[in-house]
Amino acid sequence: MLLTGIGGQGVQLAAKTLAMAATAEGHQVLMSSHYGGEMRGGQTEASVVIADEGLRSVPILESVWSAYVMHARYWPAVADRLRPGGVVVANSTVVDELPTGDFRLFPVPAGQLAVEVGAVMSSGFVLLGAYGAITGLVGVEALVSAMRELVPPYRTQHLVVNEAALRAGAGAVTALDAPAPFGAPARSARASVGTAG
Amino acid sequence: MAPQLLQGSDAVAQAAIAAGCRFFAGYPMLPFTDLLESMARRLPEVDGVCMNAESEIEAVNMALGAGAAGARAGTGSCGQGIALMQEAIAEAALNEVPFVVFNMARGQQDYFQATRGGGWGDYRTLCFAPKDVSEAVEHTQLLFHLADQYRAPVMLYGDYLIAHTYMSVDVVPIDFGPLPPKDWALDGSLGGTGKSRQIWTWAMGKAGDPGPGPDLHWQRIAEKFEEMARVETRWESIDCEGAETVVVSFGTAGPFVEQVVGELRADGVRIGAFRPITLWPFPEAALAEACRSADRVLVFEVNAGQMIDDVRLAVAGRVPVSPLGRVSIDFSGMRQGEILTVPWIRDRVHQAIKEVKV
């Protein structure tokens, strides 16, 4: 999957939370990030690959099954790599014009829900909770645990609202509306690792 | 232990500590900085020491000092900083002090630097180039072992993708077997006796305790590197048997090539992939064997053509060798550029195998 947004929206933290939660649930995970030198306002993108076992993936993805869209400014770069029929979970509060195309769109008013649970800064976690529930990739409990581990000690005041945000997102959507496909068979290659010693 | 999601730099730091590294020194420089930060965070937890040096030259000489005192020591930078370290690496190779140098390179343009050495004298630097974070964890531990086994500075060739990619990995200490005691290490105990231990590049010893001198000393070191070249080559060969085309790549480019080659093989193209795991010693014999049935060898590297020299030496003119890559760096200057993608490599391999053989 690809996660996209504008720097400062918590896209990288959401990616890391998802990757850590999936690892804790026993999956093999690979995550890479791309963002500019600026702290806020620039392009931010992360990719996460989740596999049952035998993860074989390059860290720069050619195509993805799903996308997490916090903001549409950098959407075209993601759309180019979305497979036909893919899944898009988008923050409809700030995405003015929801993208259209050959994919299944799940609009989630993440910004609005975040305000409702008193977590105005945590809309990224609302959308992540929704993404986890729609795809069934990770349970909300694993996301909450991962978030608790990732929030640094000097930011613990955000733990309660972050948790509320994750749960609000998960509760706002239909669970397993678009279950993630697992187990695409990998072709077995005749690989051998050699050593002269 | 269950697998943990770790950033590559942190995984390498944990692997180094699992291997017994207790001293690390470096100067920040992306994409190496994260490794330095991880070591700074983790080494004190095991009573180790991490120094933020004032320069790369200071850092490598600190590692040399710690290694001479018998500690498992490491240092690192990216290629630009490793360039400053060459004098000390050459000295350590010739006065036989083990430590591990981590090059978290800004791309693949440091192949010559890693394999040819930039210092003076007859020496080589054992160099591993992992393809991903999991392999980096294994190589890091093996490198500390091999450094001690051969009493030589050794190198890990990582990059931005190794340093910054997160992966679920399990850092388990690996037992590579026993090593001889470090009875050469300086401990100060013989100070003032006239018989104090010496670590000296010229090995001349003292009036009352003469050493072998540079001629014998350097001959023996040359033999040691010959022995390493015989037994320490490592490689990965995928579907090379019967292949008409073999694509050679190293480090993090390997998995991209592997994916392209796998797709083509599934389409019935007789193509294989070969990846040197050790850049020095280069697995010449294994590559020659992998190319036995090939009529074309393609070299994908993200530089102007460096490893291709070693590939040409290995196949010794029996098969035409063509470059696939080029210089390619992203705008930040920290990582490989646009050519390191599956579609780019796929297009170039397609073009190459369609070309009519003359």
Side-chain angles (χ1 to χ4, degrees):
Chain A
M1 69 171 296
L2 284 172
L3 300 93
T4 179
I6 296 177
Q9 288 187 301
V11 168
Q12 297 301 331
L13 182 59
K16 227 163 142 179
T17 306
L18 173 67
M20 187 179 268
T23 300
E25 288 196 339
H27 297 298
Q28 288 187 6
V29 181
L30 183 142
M31 180 203 137
S32 56
S33 303
H34 202 81
Y35 48 87
E38 60 275 59
M39 288 289 279
R40 291 185 180 81
Q43 180 171 9
T44 181
E45 187 184 296
S47 55
V48 180
V49 182
I50 301 176
D52 274 342
E53 56 184 39
L55 185 148
R56 288 171 85 85
S57 172
V58 295
I60 300 166
L61 303 177
E62 179 183 11
S63 70
V64 294
W65 169 75
S66 68
Y68 161 110
V69 182
M70 271 301 284
H71 198 283
R73 186 184 294 168
Y74 303 104
W75 159 256
V78 174
D80 287 347
R81 283 169 287 171
L82 194 65
R83 289 179 204 149
V87 168
V88 176
V89 181
N91 176 12
S92 56
T93 307
V94 294
V95 177
D96 299 333
E97 279 190 44
L98 288 171
T100 55
D102 181 10
F103 51 81
R104 297 173 64 193
L105 177 68
F106 295 86
V108 179
Q112 187 190 323
L113 286 167
V115 171
E116 284 170 17
V117 297
V120 67
M121 284 166 65
S122 307
S123 51
F125 280 129
V126 175
L127 197 66
L128 183 61
Y131 177 87
I134 290 167
T135 61
L137 269 171
V138 277
V140 71
E141 299 307 328
L143 289 173
V144 169
S145 303
M147 177 276 293
R148 286 185 165 276
E149 254 187 85
L150 283 168
V151 171
Y154 51 89
R155 293 265 166 82
T156 48
Q157 71 272 25
H158 299 306
L159 289 177
V160 173
V161 288
N162 283 349
E163 180 173 342
L166 283 165
R167 292 190 191 284
V173 296
T174 309
L176 289 174
D177 221 355
F182 266 107
R187 194 188 71 92
S188 65
R190 282 172 297 156
S192 63
V193 175
T195 174
Chain B
M1 219 170 73
Q4 282 179 288
L5 182 78
L6 295 176
Q7 192 197 38
S9 298
D10 202 25
V12 167
Q14 288 200 29
I17 289 168
C21 176
R22 291 297 177 270
F23 182 87
F24 194 83
Y27 184 80
M29 193 169 188
L30 276 171
F32 160 75
T33 307
D34 296 77
L35 175 58
L36 180 59
E37 286 178 354
S38 279
M39 293 302 267
R41 206 165 46 241
R42 293 188 180 278
L43 268 174
E45 294 170 0
V46 292
D47 294 329
V49 173
C50 182
M51 300 289 288
N52 191 134
E54 287 180 344
S55 72
E56 288 82 0
I57 296 173
E58 192 179 83
V60 69
N61 282 288
M62 285 177 171
L64 201 161
R72 280 204 161 168
T75 183
S77 186
C78 54
Q80 289 80 348
I82 305 280
L84 296 172
M85 298 184 174
Q86 294 300 332
E87 184 196 25
I89 293 171
E91 285 290 335
L94 296 171
N95 62 31
E96 304 197 276
V97 172
F99 56 87
V100 181
V101 181
F102 293 90
N103 183 6
M104 292 300 182
R106 292 180 170 180
Q108 296 208 305
Q109 292 167 308
D110 302 341
Y111 183 91
F112 282 155
Q113 184 193 61
T115 57
R116 268 56 179 173
W120 67 278
D122 275 312
Y123 76 99
R124 294 290 200 165
T125 314
L126 180 67
C127 180
F128 279 65
K131 68 174 177 178
D132 60 18
V133 175
S134 297
E135 228 180 56
V137 164
E138 183 195 331
H139 290 175
T140 296
Q141 297 194 57
L142 181 55
L143 278 166
F144 277 100
H145 178 85
L146 293 174
D148 278 352
Q149 182 180 330
Y150 291 105
R151 281 186 64 184
V154 298
M155 185 177 283
L156 184 96
Y157 192 127
D159 60 10
Y160 186 97
L161 293 181
I162 296 288
H164 281 210
T165 302
Y166 284 76
M167 232 174 146
S168 32
V169 288
D170 199 359
V171 182
V172 182
I174 307 170
D175 183 2
F176 297 103
L179 287 166
K182 292 189 174 180
D183 52 9
W184 47 265
L186 308 183
D187 62 2
S189 62
L190 296 171
T193 63
K195 300 269 183 190
S196 60
R197 289 174 188 157
Q198 286 188 321
I199 288 180
W200 190 9
T201 307
W202 271 259
M204 287 167 177
K206 302 178 182 184
D209 183 19
D215 185 52
L216 276 179
H217 180 56
W218 295 346
Q219 282 187 47
R220 196 178 55 70
I221 285 175
E223 284 164 15
K224 182 174 78 176
F225 284 112
E226 279 175 27
E227 169 73 2
M228 287 164 81
R230 262 195 306 277
V231 303
E232 296 302 343
T233 54
R234 287 166 174 81
W235 65 89
E236 185 180 33
S237 172
I238 300 171
D239 282 336
C240 286
E241 206 180 309
E244 290 170 355
T245 305
V246 171
V247 189
V248 188
S249 62
F250 74 93
T252 53
F256 292 84
V257 166
E258 192 184 321
Q259 186 174 326
V260 170
V261 165
E263 289 170 9
L264 285 166
R265 193 86 187 187
D267 289 342
V269 179
R270 296 176 70 184
I271 186 167
F274 186 90
R275 178 173 65 93
I277 293 172
T278 48
L279 303 186
W280 191 87
F282 191 82
E284 281 187 9
L287 178 56
E289 172 62 22
C291 297
R292 204 153 46 100
S293 58
D295 51 25
R296 178 192 297 110
V297 176
L298 306 172
V299 181
F300 177 75
E301 51 186 332
V302 192
N303 58 40
Q306 299 193 13
M307 180 179 66
I308 197 167
D309 288 6
D310 285 335
V311 175
R312 289 196 168 115
L313 284 169
V315 303
R318 288 189 304 275
V319 193
V321 177
S322 311
L324 274 191
R326 61 164 165 78
V327 174
S328 178
I329 192 112
D330 87 335
F331 192 71
S332 74
M334 303 291 173
R335 55 188 284 171
Q336 295 94 333
E338 61 182 3
I339 78 168
L340 191 65
T341 65
V342 167
W344 198 94
I345 300 169
R346 184 192 289 129
D347 284 352
R348 296 314 187 282
V349 173
H350 272 278
Q351 278 173 24
I353 61 180
K354 272 186 205 145
E355 277 169 16
V356 181
K357 277 171 267 175
V358 184

